[in-house]
Amino acid sequence: MSEKRQVVVSGMRPTGRLHIGHLHGALANWVRLQEENDCYFFSADWHALTTNYHDPGVIKQAEREMFVDFIAAGVDPLKSTLFVQSEVKEHAELFLLLGMITPLGWLERSPTYKEMRENITDRDLALYGFLGYPVLMTADVAMYKATRVPVGVDQVPHLELSREIVRKFTHHYGPVFPEPQPLLTASPKILGTDGRKMSKSYGNTIDIGESAESTTKKIMGMVTDPARKRRQDPGNPDVCGIFYLHKVTSGADTVAWVDQNCRTAGIGCVDCKKKLLEKLLPEQEQMRERREALLARPGDVDALVQLGTQKARKVAARTMDEVRTAMKLKLA
Ligand code: SF4
């Protein structure tokens, strides 16, 4: 018997073109999940404001590109609900109401809050909006009565905070929301061209659907095992970004072939990279074609997102009606 359909909610901050780290870290999983669940995937534009408040103009520009990348990667707007967070104003209302019962200490202890305050030093993050973003995140998932939220191991404490807020709501006002359970997703390690984590801020990304010429240039110039100086030196694939790309792109036989021949110097890095391109380039080409077709008809992409946003609004209106009733905020 098949498992009950779950409600899955996940969002992404619109920060511009997505790269193959996003593809294998989140989107490939969304594509699988949409087949058997009710999925809501949204542009977390208000979340983007918590750290990008100084330059809000770029958020809307990045948003369409992001939706184009979602669809090019295989997220189907007819199976999944794609929407824009700020276009469903109920998120702000629920954020406010949940804020009334969320202890300050829970937010101050959030590991991401502490980590980002320490790491982002070029702007002031001692802000109410930034501190409160886990409350907004809770509102985002609770609004659709999410039962599952795809997270990596490092995001489990975040979701636990949301679950605590939901429990507190239930304690005060009764059961409106299910407690969202983490859907642990193995997030494959994807390194950038310089051997660090693939990230736009490092300038080391390979974008989804990047041209064959540019993808080839980046792969051929990519840092490999730094200890493998000459062709005859055995390598260590476990420290090499090319090997991690093989793992998500090439078949199991090729991965085993690389693993063995790298360690025994049976192949050189150039051979290894060419082997990767045999699979990576057609994949990139397919996504590039989809992106171009979508970008040629931007009105269609906008219409699909509007359709999803309308659906999200309807669900959100129903939920907020229940919330107001539970909290006795409506006249009898
Ligand atoms: S042979 Fe392949 S896996 Fe080994 S170091 Fe070179 S590029 Fe990396």
Side-chain angles (χ1 to χ4, degrees):
M1 208 166 69
S2 69
E3 212 193 321
K4 178 177 163 285
R5 280 177 86 81
Q6 303 288 343
V7 178
V8 176
V9 181
S10 194
M12 211 181 268
R13 293 175 179 213
T15 54
R17 289 291 310 276
L18 302 185
H19 52 71
I20 58 177
H22 295 114
L23 176 69
H24 298 291
L27 298 179
N29 191 38
W30 291 4
V31 172
R32 279 191 294 274
L33 286 169
Q34 69 183 353
E35 296 305 325
E36 313 223 318
N37 302 284
D38 294 329
C39 293
Y40 293 81
F41 300 128
F42 64 96
S43 162
D45 56 343
W46 278 339
H47 282 285
L49 271 178
T50 59
T51 49
N52 267 2
Y53 56 86
H54 57 299
D55 192 12
V58 300
I59 295 173
K60 287 292 130 183
Q61 286 168 22
E63 194 163 76
R64 187 190 283 145
E65 288 275 359
M66 186 181 75
F67 281 121
V68 165
D69 283 330
F70 283 4
I71 300 171
V75 177
D76 181 346
L78 300 178
K79 289 181 182 162
S80 300
T81 304
L82 300 184
F83 71 95
V84 178
Q85 179 189 36
S86 67
E87 294 292 321
V88 185
K89 308 295 180 200
E90 284 84 353
H91 286 239
E93 184 184 355
L94 188 54
F95 166 56
L96 179 142
L97 294 175
L98 295 177
M100 302 300 171
I101 56 168
T102 304
L104 216 45
W106 289 4
L107 300 174
E108 286 164 344
R109 279 198 301 274
S110 155
T112 309
Y113 174 72
K114 284 197 255 176
E115 192 189 304
M116 286 177 82
R117 284 283 309 272
E118 280 161 20
N119 289 334
I120 300 182
T121 50
D122 62 342
R123 71 203 89 142
D124 183 13
L125 287 182
L127 299 169
Y128 167 68
F130 182 63
L131 177 69
Y133 90 90
V135 185
L136 181 57
M137 202 183 92
T138 306
D140 298 334
V141 297
M143 188 66 80
Y144 305 94
K145 302 195 177 184
T147 53
R148 296 285 185 278
V149 176
V151 286
V153 180
D154 53 336
Q155 295 158 321
V156 171
H158 262 154
L159 192 64
E160 188 47 39
L161 180 49
S162 290
R163 286 154 53 79
E164 282 187 81
I165 297 172
V166 164
R167 279 199 284 271
K168 199 141 192 251
F169 183 96
T170 305
H171 170 75
H172 285 293
Y173 313 115
V176 173
F177 307 116
E179 275 181 36
Q181 305 292 330
L183 194 63
L184 274 178
T185 50
S187 201
K189 190 167 173 177
I190 304 288
L191 300 182
T193 50
D194 58 0
R196 292 186 290 174
K197 183 180 181 232
M198 188 175 284
S199 163
K200 214 165 132 104
S201 46
Y202 294 150
N204 64 2
T205 58
I206 298 171
D207 289 340
I208 286 178
E210 197 160 327
S211 74
E213 191 190 351
S214 177
T215 302
T216 303
K217 200 166 158 210
K218 287 185 177 176
I219 291 293
M220 295 315 284
M222 189 159 162
V223 169
T224 61
D225 171 5
R228 192 175 187 200
K229 300 259 185 280
R230 293 162 307 172
R231 166 69 179 78
Q232 62 270 33
D233 295 336
N236 177 9
D238 296 333
V239 298
C240 175
I242 294 291
F243 186 57
Y244 289 113
L245 286 176
H246 269 297
K247 282 185 171 179
V248 292
T249 311
S250 310
D253 289 352
T254 304
V255 172
W257 174 81
V258 172
D259 196 7
Q260 190 194 349
N261 285 289
C262 172
R263 293 180 199 280
T264 54
I267 52 170
C269 293
V270 171
D271 309 316
C272 187
K273 290 175 170 181
K274 283 185 179 160
K275 193 76 186 163
L276 173 67
L277 289 170
E278 284 174 20
K279 279 278 161 48
L280 183 59
L281 289 185
E283 187 182 287
Q284 285 283 73
E285 181 57 17
Q286 196 186 34
M287 289 190 289
R288 193 186 64 76
E289 280 173 10
R290 282 199 213 145
R291 286 193 91 257
E292 285 194 352
L294 291 161
L295 286 170
R297 303 169 67 103
D300 289 4
V301 177
D302 295 348
L304 287 165
V305 174
Q306 269 167 26
L307 208 68
T309 302
Q310 278 164 15
K311 183 182 161 196
R313 273 195 204 120
K314 275 192 198 146
V315 178
R318 271 204 308 271
T319 303
M320 286 315 296
D321 198 51
E322 287 178 49
V323 168
R324 291 181 211 114
T325 302
M327 294 181 74
K328 303 192 172 34
L329 294 174
K330 292 192 342 184
L331 283 178

